[in-house]
Amino acid sequence: MMKLLCGGTLILTLALSYYVYMPLPATVSEPWKLVLVGAAFRTATHLADVSHSLGLAHHIRVLSLLVASFERLVPAEFEDVQTEDTEFDGVQVRVYTPQHRDGTLRRAVVFIHGGGWALGAPKLGSYDVLCRKMAVKLNAVVVTVDYRMAPDVRFPVQYEECVQAARHFLQRDVLARYSVDPDRVAVCGDSAGGNLAAAVAQQVNFNLYFPY
């Protein structure tokens, strides 16, 4: 019985090690954190695929739920930032404003999250921490766009909502409300959000110089 238990434990340990293993460059700091995150995401993907195959739920919806649950575990930072959940031209956004004021107009950043236009929780966890850090480090008003995602909507809705939110924010009265310098507004994003940010910058620029 003991031999059987030891053998089973060894097999499970080897299987778990194989599942978790991820080849990484030697220069990566804290590799185990990256390995565990990778294993967690693979597990979430497998659970989503099984749910989809059984007809229980769309695999993207399951992944979104798991991602949001994971992000809720990330502790909040930089409490000296005021947040406001509102709408810009019907698009859900969150505005981060640093508490420190020196009487001058601030710079601003419109941030668009990644996730393949299907995943991401911009108001939770790592994205929330990132926007708070940007607001404090840059002394800037940061607007994160909570655009609707697949499978609820299809292209080009994600792009259109980012353009709508950016155009609304760039109105003179809106910038004045948040004490933002109109000449110091940037747009950025990560992964698929970077793609959207580039498209938004081109479209907004085009419409500013060539109105129709």
Side-chain angles (χ1 to χ4, degrees):
M1 184 64 180
M2 183 60 68
K3 290 183 178 180
L4 184 62
L5 181 60
C6 291
T9 303
L10 178 61
I11 292 173
L12 287 174
T13 301
L14 292 174
L16 181 62
S17 299
Y18 178 80
Y19 182 78
V20 171
Y21 174 72
M22 177 191 301
L24 294 172
T27 54
V28 173
S29 61
E30 300 182 304
W32 278 106
K33 287 186 178 180
L34 189 58
V35 167
L36 291 176
V37 169
F41 188 77
R42 286 197 301 275
T43 302
T45 302
H46 295 155
L47 289 174
D49 290 341
V50 170
S51 299
H52 189 85
S53 299
L54 294 176
L56 300 175
H58 194 287
H59 65 280
I60 294 298
R61 295 190 191 280
V62 177
L63 270 180
S64 296
L65 177 63
L66 293 173
V67 168
S69 299
F70 176 78
E71 290 289 3
R72 286 190 178 92
L73 300 176
V74 178
E77 296 183 15
F78 291 97
E79 296 299 331
D80 54 339
V81 175
Q82 179 181 349
T83 61
E84 176 192 4
D85 292 328
T86 184
E87 290 186 1
F88 283 177
D89 194 16
V91 180
Q92 295 289 325
V93 300
R94 172 172 285 183
V95 183
Y96 296 83
T97 307
Q99 296 285 11
H100 173 69
R101 293 183 178 274
D102 56 10
T104 62
L105 293 179
R106 288 193 173 100
R107 47 175 79 91
V109 177
V110 176
F111 178 77
I112 304 173
H113 73 88
W117 301 5
L119 300 174
K123 298 177 182 178
L124 297 174
S126 53
Y127 279 126
D128 181 61
V129 171
L130 173 62
C131 289
R132 289 174 184 273
K133 285 186 176 181
M134 283 196 294
V136 171
K137 299 294 184 182
L138 300 175
N139 189 28
V141 174
V142 177
V143 177
T144 183
V145 185
D146 191 6
Y147 58 88
R148 289 176 294 166
M149 297 178 284
D152 296 326
V153 297
R154 297 184 179 183
F155 176 86
V157 172
Q158 296 91 334
Y159 159 72
E160 291 172 343
E161 291 195 347
C162 290
V163 171
Q164 286 173 226
R167 281 180 174 158
H168 180 89
F169 183 61
L170 290 174
Q171 295 179 94
R172 292 282 175 174
D173 58 330
V174 178
L175 293 176
R177 187 196 318 157
Y178 293 105
S179 300
V180 170
D181 184 345
D183 296 323
R184 303 173 73 194
V185 182
V187 58
C188 68
D190 72 303
S191 191
N195 171 278
L196 288 170
V200 167
Q202 293 174 5
Q203 183 67 22
V204 171
N205 244 359
F206 178 83
N207 287 335
L208 284 175
Y209 287 100
F210 301 96
Y212 39 75

